[in-house]
Amino acid sequence: MGSVTIEIDGRQVTVEEGLNVIQAAQFLDIQIPHFCYHEGLGVDGNCRMCLVEVEGMPKLQPACNLFVKEGLKVRTRTPQVMEHRRLVLECLFLNHPIDCSICDQSGECYLQDYYLDHGNYRSRYDLPKRLKRKRVDAGPHVILDAERCVLCARCVRFCDNITKTGELRIVNRGDRSEITLFPGKKLDNPYSLNTVQICPVGALTSKDFRFSWRVWFLKSAHSICTGCSRGCNIIIDHADNHAYRYQARCNPQVNGYWLCDDGRLSYKMINDHRLHVLTEPSGNSRDTFPRFEEALSGIGRQIEGASSVTALMSPDLSNEDLYAASRFAKEIAGSQRMAAGSLKPDGVEDELLRKADAHPNTSGCKTLNLWGDLKPAIDAGGDLLLVFGSDLLQYDNALLKKIRSSFKSIIIFASHEMKGFETGAWLIPIACHAEMDGSFTNFEGRVQKFDAAIRRRGDTLPLWRILGKIGRAMQREWGWSDLAGLRRDLTDEFPQWKEALIEATPSNKTGVPLKMTGTKEAGEE
């Protein structure tokens, strides 16, 4: 596909053919206001908010439906354009409740932002406002407030064109028009919360996030969803070291613009049932230990004294943690048997995003040549069992009993509480993916980095750092001082990951929408 040079507000930009003017303007940091247009849903042209002046055309043109061509000249802030936007906003506010102070969308509302940018007027409307339905239970995850709706139809088009479930419609005419559900239906598809994320105003809000935190207090970090092997790109919104929500982050090659509800709500595992302190087999936590290092020395002595060692690894671990755990098991613990696998039942798979494999890094285990059947390794029994990961022993009670009877001692490195192992095993807390930098390999073999979002709590450390500490407690020169060194060793052994882990852009650039490509003209800021 070729490129064309156009002019927007007197500044030239060269962009890829096929883009519309809204997309092209973003390369010049020019935001053209719009409600109905969304890159994942295409052009609808119903809101008329994005009209711009085009040289040679007598009337204003919708920027969403105006595609770039060589020599196109566009002006986005002329008096005629600004007056048009003011009139559109005045119409939208005629019956709007203007309840920003209690609206959950306040702070990330298009209508609020555009009013401050383009409207900023006193209303000329002095008649009673048309009242519509409020706090409608639209589905298991979504609340509808019809008074706040600007009728952009993004949610309708999402249900029609993306999930093809068609639960929503605009009914009635004129100022009685509103979004509603088909009689007897609920907004209950597995992707329903995407309608909340793409709603430009506060008409659709999430039951889960509603009134939990003001968005302007939230901080964000780019990460990867761990709900299945798709590896959807996400943003973790957090505050006060607590995760509050996942938002979909666009990556056309992985998840497009969307995220399933199960994955979106899986942020709760970052906060709930976490293992924060080191616990000895008697059940005493580190509060009773004189020093953390002394406990690690005791664990080291137990590993050195074991005559036979079996190591099990979880496909929930990052590539870096899997590599460190396998090296530790072989070089420090002298493990005779080692396998990465899962006992977790398969999830639901569909044609849109969800994969049956409920782990984010099964492909990483396979690439590192660790994937195998866990049961033979457990059946063999032995002196010591090393377990790396929280989920391995949570789905089979019979196997849990067998483990207890087959191994003299057990050391578990886990990010979450281990039901059934409150006593009888060393529990060593490790960081989850939201608390450290790392990478996962999705089902297609795509390696994707993620960033730490929140601070680690208690004794928690990344697994590879804990293992280094144990190695040093055993008087062994083993481990890595930083993640970069670990990745160098990893990619020396598995060079197919070198581009993704060493040479690629930082994780906050991985998965960024690359659909728009363009260059500013020399001299432009």
Side-chain angles (χ1 to χ4, degrees), residues 34-52:
H34 57 278
F35 291 109
C36 65
Y37 173 71
H38 186 283
E39 284 187 31
L41 301 173
V43 175
D44 197 55
N46 73 59
C47 75
R48 316 309 286 176
M49 190 66 189
C50 67
L51 296 194
V52 293

Side-chain angles (χ1 to χ4, degrees), residues 494-515:
F494 299 91
Q496 65 269 41
W497 284 353
K498 188 171 184 179
E499 182 179 356
L501 293 181
I502 304 295
E503 298 170 356
T505 54
S507 58
N508 61 354
K509 297 296 182 185
T510 305
V512 159
L514 301 177
K515 182 179 177 182

Side-chain angles (χ1 to χ4, degrees), residues 476-492:
R476 304 282 292 274
E477 291 297 326
W478 191 90
W480 299 268
S481 60
D482 56 32
L483 187 64
L486 191 159
R487 282 177 170 166
R488 280 194 295 273
D489 284 358
L490 171 58
T491 53
D492 284 346

Side-chain angles (χ1 to χ4, degrees), residues 223-388:
S223 190
I224 305 296
C225 178
T226 58
C228 75
S229 60
R230 170 73 63 178
C232 292
N233 290 208
I234 59 167
I235 294 169
I236 301 177
D237 285 336
H238 60 95
D240 283 354
N241 216 33
H242 187 95
Y244 281 94
R245 66 178 181 183
Y246 282 173
Q247 295 277 70
R249 178 165 56 99
C250 174
N251 186 335
Q253 297 166 320
V254 178
N255 55 295
Y257 300 85
W258 318 121
L259 185 64
C260 73
D261 289 354
D262 288 342
R264 196 178 288 268
L265 296 174
S266 66
Y267 78 89
K268 296 177 182 178
M269 56 79 66
I270 298 172
N271 307 315
D272 299 340
H273 308 297
R274 293 296 309 279
L275 184 64
H276 292 146
V277 294
L278 194 150
T279 305
E280 64 178 359
S282 65
N284 292 327
S285 70
R286 194 178 74 83
D287 295 339
T288 61
F289 302 154
R291 293 181 62 194
F292 183 61
E293 285 72 15
E294 286 186 18
L296 295 185
S297 296
I299 292 168
R301 288 192 294 274
Q302 191 157 7
I303 292 173
E304 281 184 315
S307 59
S308 63
V309 178
T310 297
L312 306 180
M313 296 166 215
S314 165
D316 284 353
L317 296 176
S318 68
N319 291 318
E320 292 81 359
D321 279 350
L322 282 169
Y323 178 71
S326 62
R327 289 274 303 267
F328 181 88
K330 284 187 286 190
E331 298 170 13
I332 302 299
S335 175
Q336 292 82 22
R337 288 170 292 277
M338 185 166 59
S342 173
L343 301 172
K344 189 175 182 179
D346 281 349
V348 177
E349 182 160 335
D350 60 30
E351 296 180 351
L352 187 52
L353 292 179
R354 295 184 298 174
K355 303 297 294 181
D357 179 2
H359 299 283
N361 207 20
T362 300
S363 289
C365 295
K366 292 177 179 176
T367 303
L368 293 169
N369 301 317
L370 299 173
W371 192 255
D373 191 350
L374 300 180
K375 290 186 177 178
I378 295 172
D379 289 340
D383 210 22
L384 172 65
L385 175 65
L386 297 175
V387 180
F388 301 98

